[in-house]
Amino acid sequence: MSDDKKVSRRDILKMGTAGAFGIAGSYYLNKMAQFPTVAQASNDSSHKTSNHSNHSNHANMIDKTKTTGYKMAERLLTDFDYGEVTKLPNGQILREYKVVAIDKEIEIAKGIKFPGWTYNGTIPGPTFRCTEGDLLRFHFINKGSHPHSIHFHGIHPPEMDGLTSIYPGQKFTYEFEANPYGLQIYHCHVLPLARHIHKGLYGNFIIDPKKPREPALELNMVMNGFDLDLDGENEFYTVNGYANAFMNHPIKIKKDQLVRIYLSNLTEFDLLNSFHLHANYFTYYPTGRNDNPSQFTDTIMQCQGERGIIEVRFPYKGTYMFHAHVSEFAELGWMGFFEVE
């Protein structure tokens, strides 16, 4: 199929699943031959078959089994890495983390694999966590096939800013004090930035305030996207790296329980991403700062690298949908449910 007849993701959303298999198949097989790093799956012609215009087509995109990709997304929801902790003679807490960059194929939807560049083997990477004022040491080892680094948002010495490339086989230790408190992010800062971020080198980095926040059910959510054919447009949008992860496996919470969501946007190739909650309102703290102006709303937008904390309670039992409030993003995988019990 020539470039002037290229089938876009929007065409496929209009065509429906059967049409997409028939029309797009030869094009994507041809693209695979040109770009050997593009995702490989058992049926390559299915990469852009994500029509959600009716319930039956929508169900084709949703896993009803707990696949490897779903399990990764579920684990990242509540798994926080506090590092190896040592108390120093001056009373300060030292936290040490091991971070390894590796190339790894990641399942991003049922039967769809993405050739990722990862921190510790997941997309997004681990959610690092500490307390304001802790001394942090990130022992970084590059076992990937390209130069990488780790750039942490926050306050630290310039030499720890992750602008120097760490080549395959090399090591580097990033050391700095955790400041300021709030929700930070981290990502690779090697050029081309779009390539390194899109391939999966990013994650959340939580610095807790010295005075603990109110106890809550805490959830980590990283909004992201995946471009399978390298055309600069995402075919899938997800939270925690797996399309529709929490549609058939809703996140279970209790009625009136405080829920705290650490939400960030690391989506490449799109200016904005968003979070919308059905049938309820939440309080939003930009950058996760209690002293920041907050919003009481049901929809927020984030540009790439923007992040914040959502706090919410559910007054009624039942099922509450959440999704991106860009319809196309939602239809291409960025949807889920809370099950309030």
Side-chain angles (χ1 to χ4, degrees):
M1 185 176 292
S2 63
D3 285 343
D4 60 334
K5 295 182 180 179
K6 176 171 143 178
V7 178
S8 73
R9 58 182 181 170
R10 291 168 179 81
D11 293 330
I12 290 174
L13 283 169
K14 295 175 183 177
M15 285 189 294
T17 303
F21 271 100
I23 296 175
S26 61
Y27 169 67
Y28 288 110
L29 288 174
N30 182 55
K31 291 284 278 187
M32 299 267 190
Q34 295 178 47
F35 302 104
T37 58
V38 79
Q40 300 294 323
S42 57
N43 186 343
D44 289 335
S45 64
S46 66
H47 287 166
K48 286 199 175 183
T49 58
S50 50
N51 175 273
H52 298 149
S53 58
N54 58 58
H55 178 75
S56 61
N57 283 334
H58 190 184
N60 290 336
M61 284 285 295
I62 302 172
D63 257 337
K64 297 182 180 180
T65 57
K66 293 189 175 182
T67 64
T68 301
Y70 165 75
K71 289 177 180 177
M72 180 187 73
E74 181 183 48
R75 178 168 63 84
L76 290 170
L77 191 67
T78 55
D79 190 16
F80 303 101
D81 185 350
Y82 289 87
E84 185 176 330
V85 179
T86 303
K87 190 170 184 178
L88 299 175
N90 65 359
Q92 187 178 31
I93 296 298
L94 167 66
R95 297 182 188 271
E96 298 188 75
Y97 307 84
K98 183 178 180 180
V99 190
V100 182
I102 57 174
D103 299 354
K104 185 177 179 181
E105 190 175 66
I106 300 294
E107 183 182 44
I108 62 168
K110 189 174 182 179
I112 304 297
K113 301 291 183 67
F114 178 78
W117 298 344
T118 76
Y119 292 124
N120 291 2
T122 64
I123 301 177
T127 303
F128 301 117
R129 194 158 186 177
C130 58
T131 300
E132 186 175 29
D134 289 349
L135 179 62
L136 310 180
R137 288 181 188 155
F138 292 90
H139 301 289
F140 178 56
I141 306 170
N142 187 358
K143 294 186 177 180
S145 57
H146 296 77
H148 297 306
S149 70
I150 311 177
H151 165 63
F152 296 92
H153 287 219
I155 301 172
H156 46 253
E159 60 269 25
M160 295 297 158
D161 203 33
L163 301 184
T164 301
S165 297
I166 309 304
Y167 285 82
Q170 292 184 338
K171 303 177 182 180
F172 185 82
T173 296
Y174 300 93
E175 180 174 324
F176 52 90
E177 286 193 352
N179 284 298
Y181 85 83
L183 176 56
Q184 314 296 346
I185 58 169
Y186 66 93
H187 56 84
C188 184
H189 214 289
V190 174
L191 299 175
L193 289 175
R195 177 74 164 163
H196 285 251
I197 293 176
H198 163 254
K199 290 283 280 185
L201 292 167
Y202 50 78
N204 277 351
F205 170 40
I206 300 170
I207 302 178
D208 290 317
K210 291 182 180 181
K211 181 180 178 181
R213 300 179 191 272
E214 181 181 353
L217 171 63
E218 297 194 319
L219 305 174
N220 177 72
M221 292 188 180
V222 178
M223 299 186 290
N224 53 3
F226 295 93
D227 173 17
L228 299 183
D229 63 356
L230 309 182
D231 66 350
E233 285 191 336
N234 295 311
E235 283 73 58
F236 288 90
Y237 293 89
T238 78
V239 61
N240 290 358
Y242 192 75
N244 293 309
F246 306 108
M247 288 289 287
N248 275 56
H249 305 285
I251 300 168
K252 296 186 183 299
I253 60 179
K254 296 178 182 178
K255 178 179 175 292
D256 296 321
Q257 179 182 27
L258 177 61
V259 180
R260 181 174 297 121
I261 301 171
Y262 296 91
L263 180 75
S264 66
N265 177 27
L266 274 301
T267 310
E268 193 58 75
F269 307 128
D270 293 280
L271 293 176
L272 297 170
N273 207 330
S274 56
F275 179 99
H276 169 58
L277 176 64
H278 282 213
N280 205 355
Y281 262 49
F282 54 80
T283 301
Y284 180 68
Y285 300 95
T287 323
R289 298 280 301 186
N290 292 344
D291 50 2
N292 274 8
S294 62
Q295 302 175 47
F296 187 58
T297 182
D298 63 359
T299 305
I300 59 99
M301 293 186 296
Q302 293 180 340
C303 66
Q304 188 193 65
E306 195 170 356
R307 65 273 185 197
I309 291 178
I310 287 171
E311 290 191 344
V312 61
R313 297 179 192 268
F314 293 86
Y316 305 106
K317 295 180 181 180
T319 302
Y320 295 76
M321 176 174 272
F322 62 91
H323 59 82
H325 216 294
V326 176
S327 299
E328 183 182 7
F329 293 10
E331 291 173 348
L332 290 171
W334 181 181
M335 282 187 178
F337 287 108
F338 293 114
E339 186 67 39
V340 180
E341 300 173 335

